Amino acid sequence: MRGEDRGSVTVEAALGIGALTFVSALLLAGIGVASDQLRCTDAAREAARLLACGQPARAEQAVREIAPPGARLNIVREGDTITAGVEAEPVAGLLPGIRLRSSAFAIAEPGSGP
């Protein structure tokens, strides 16, 4: 009976290490996604503030600096209201099929232009 069980501990250890590695990778990916979502939110807020002041070039620059790499700025302006949206792929595109989106709303300051 003892000969039949030989190596079973090694197999169980290998499976345990593999499962632990997988769970750790998922945990790190989740932290990366949460961090990138916060960066998108911060970038959208800053872009909306700059757009309300009439500084669209600085708003685009802020998104490039604050948001994750490859993020896009979408601007919707209706009358005096401005909505700045930021969209990006999390964790530098390592998680296919997942897109992060965040938006912020602002009221244009008087004289800030169209």
Side-chain angles (χ1 to χ4, degrees):
M1 190 68 128
R2 293 194 90 148
E4 294 174 10
D5 289 341
R6 184 170 237 177
S8 65
V9 173
T10 305
V11 172
E12 291 169 359
L15 290 174
I17 290 172
L20 184 61
T21 303
F22 180 71
V23 169
S24 297
L26 284 178
L27 179 64
L28 291 174
I31 291 170
V33 168
S35 172
D36 285 350
Q37 180 64 45
L38 289 173
R39 291 175 65 191
C40 284
T41 301
D42 289 344
R45 179 186 44 83
E46 186 65 19
R49 187 186 68 78
L50 289 167
L51 289 166
C53 295
Q55 301 175 353
R58 289 191 61 200
E60 291 179 16
Q61 179 184 0
V63 169
R64 282 193 305 272
E65 292 176 3
I66 298 171
R72 292 183 307 155
L73 173 63
N74 301 315
I75 303 167
V76 177
R77 185 168 185 149
E78 295 176 357
D80 287 343
T81 63
I82 299 169
T83 303
V86 175
E87 184 176 327
E89 293 182 3
V91 195
L94 294 177
L95 299 172
I98 298 176
R99 299 288 295 171
L100 301 176
R101 292 180 183 89
S102 188
S103 62
F105 178 82
I107 303 291
E109 294 180 4
S112 65

